[in-house]
Amino acid sequence: MKRALVAIGLALAAPAALAHAFLDHAEPRVGSKVDASPARVTLWFTQALEPAFSRVQVLDAKGQEVDRKDGAVDSKDSTMMHASLPPLAPGKYRVQWRVLSADTHVTKGDFSFEVGGGAR
């Protein structure tokens, strides 16, 4: 009986662990080097996001925000968010995100990409 209760408890806890919205993939890709400045950064997550409490920023090497401050969850796909960018100079950039999944779990993270000086 005791084992059955433990098994039931573990089974019920498993969906809660899977409910967090984690970064699935991004464009530009995590750790990538792109030849030209992208027009925007797009992130896809594993769960639907709560738009009012999710944000994304793009920072330069000095930690200054360089996006157009319009980072938001996509109105047609709540698992995606994006921020538009002005033309970026060659260099490294860091994307920071903090999201609230629709079931109220917060996750955050960051990754970098690099803009090159053109085709090589």
Side-chain angles (χ1 to χ4, degrees):
M1 178 72 169
K2 199 175 212 179
R3 285 186 183 173
L5 291 175
V6 170
I8 290 170
L10 290 173
L12 292 174
L18 298 174
H20 294 65
F22 293 108
L23 181 65
D24 183 62
H25 64 285
E27 188 59 43
R29 291 184 316 239
V30 174
S32 68
K33 183 173 184 178
V34 295
D35 291 331
S37 176
R40 70 183 192 171
V41 170
T42 304
L43 294 81
W44 288 267
F45 290 86
T46 58
Q47 298 286 325
L49 307 176
E50 180 58 49
F53 300 102
S54 298
R55 61 182 162 80
V56 60
Q57 295 178 302
V58 181
L59 310 172
D60 65 14
K62 296 178 183 177
Q64 299 297 309
E65 187 174 5
V66 296
D67 59 77
R68 296 190 188 270
K69 297 178 178 42
D70 63 352
V73 174
D74 189 88
S75 62
K76 295 178 182 160
D77 181 352
S78 64
T79 65
M80 180 173 68
M81 65 187 319
H82 44 77
S84 57
L85 299 169
L88 299 175
K92 289 192 178 191
Y93 295 88
R94 190 173 81 221
V95 178
Q96 286 183 251
W97 53 268
R98 181 186 183 281
V99 298
L100 179 71
S101 60
D103 63 358
T104 72
H105 290 102
V106 174
T107 57
K108 61 184 178 177
D110 65 82
F111 66 91
S112 62
F113 70 93
E114 185 175 352
V115 176
R120 298 188 195 282

